[in-house]
Amino acid sequence: AQSVSQHNHHVILSEAASLELGCNYSYGGTVNLFWYVQYPGQHLQLLLKYFSGDPLVKGIKGFEAEFIKSKFSFNLRKPSVQWSDTAEYFCAVNEANTGNQFYFGTGTSLTVIP
Amino acid sequence: NAGVTQTPKFRILKIGQSMTLQCAQDMNHNYMYWYRQDPGMGLKLIYYSVGAGITDKGEVPNGYNVSRSTTEDFPLRLELAAPSQTSVYFCASSQDPKGYNEQFFGPGTRLTVL
């Protein structure tokens, strides 16, 4: 089975600070990569996804992520966070072309202080 | 489209009781999934289905059962509720994870077993 690691369990930032959340996966083959966000009391929503092509992917609300194949990483970034970005962020991986399942990291809780 | 819907939103069960968590999607997706989310643990896959009549176990299937008689519905059954099943349960669907498709999540069911 795949494993997905999110090393930052809880991050606290002030508004306007820059954000980078780490995500590493274990599968050596071709992967599809996702970042989901879960606002307090809500369900998971897709922030962005990578399937192929440009390794720098832009998503909603100013988020972006960079796929670095050699490092098995898909880190999420935002240049300037807002209070409304307070949420839990999950990285997920799917084995491209073969996988029926999605594998999730344990999540990173982000708190943005106004 | 309603997307993925789940009922009930909340439920309290006594130990040993049984219940069915309902999940339905109106996007004609072939793949459906049940996850449980526990604090700090991310999402754990309970069961999934690749189409009507086909189901398979995920990472944590013990104590649960599923069926998939139609494309739209994927109910999750708890036969003998235990305190360890206290969790938030999310249903998700996907058109085809082997292709370029993400998962869509329902709003969740918060279950407490006392």
Side-chain angles (χ1 to χ4, degrees):
Chain A
Q2 284 276 337
S3 70
V4 180
S5 300
Q6 291 183 243
H7 305 295
N8 315 104
H9 298 295
H10 195 178
V11 173
I12 301 174
L13 294 173
S14 298
E15 272 193 320
S18 63
L19 170 72
E20 180 159 3
L21 302 181
C23 173
N24 290 89
Y25 61 93
S26 63
Y27 183 62
T30 303
V31 292
N32 299 322
L33 298 156
F34 310 85
W35 274 98
Y36 285 87
V37 60
Q38 185 180 29
Y39 298 105
Q42 297 189 26
H43 62 284
L44 277 77
Q45 304 168 45
L46 184 71
L47 262 184
L48 49 79
K49 58 188 178 184
Y50 171 82
F51 295 127
S52 64
D54 189 342
L56 185 61
V57 179
K58 294 192 184 301
I60 60 171
K61 303 187 181 186
F63 286 92
E64 64 180 30
E66 184 175 14
F67 170 50
I68 302 179
K69 188 174 181 180
S70 61
K71 294 185 177 180
F72 298 88
S73 70
F74 190 54
N75 292 355
L76 181 70
R77 300 196 292 247
K78 186 171 184 179
S80 175
V81 295
Q82 301 173 315
W83 174 79
S84 58
D85 293 325
T86 294
E88 190 135 16
Y89 292 81
F90 293 94
C91 180
V93 173
N94 161 252
E95 297 169 14
N97 305 315
T98 59
N100 292 325
Q101 299 185 39
F102 295 78
Y103 299 90
F104 284 80
T106 53
T108 297
S109 175
L110 172 65
T111 301
V112 180
I113 301 169
Chain B
N1 287 351
V4 180
T5 57
Q6 291 182 240
T7 56
K9 285 187 170 54
F10 305 93
R11 184 73 185 267
I12 298 175
L13 284 181
K14 294 182 180 178
I15 294 172
Q17 286 185 319
S18 61
M19 78 163 294
T20 299
L21 282 65
Q22 301 292 345
C23 174
Q25 53 91 12
D26 62 359
M27 297 174 281
N28 202 32
H29 285 172
N30 291 317
Y31 293 75
M32 295 188 74
Y33 306 81
W34 274 106
Y35 295 91
R36 59 177 288 171
Q37 183 183 29
D38 301 301
M41 301 296 289
L43 278 78
K44 300 290 186 185
L45 182 64
I46 304 172
Y47 271 96
Y48 68 101
S49 168
V50 302
I54 306 170
T55 62
D56 208 347
K57 294 179 181 179
E59 187 180 358
V60 290
N62 291 344
Y64 306 94
N65 276 301
V66 293
S67 60
R68 183 96 182 270
S69 56
T70 67
T71 300
E72 294 78 20
D73 300 298
F74 190 41
L76 177 72
R77 179 90 178 153
L78 283 71
E79 291 294 348
L80 290 170
S84 60
Q85 294 178 306
T86 293
S87 188
V88 181
Y89 292 84
F90 287 101
C91 180
S93 73
S94 177
Q95 176 56 32
D96 178 7
K98 297 187 188 64
Y100 306 129
N101 296 287
E102 68 270 30
Q103 289 180 308
F104 294 83
F105 284 84
T109 294
R110 184 174 294 274
L111 175 67
T112 302
V113 182
L114 300 174

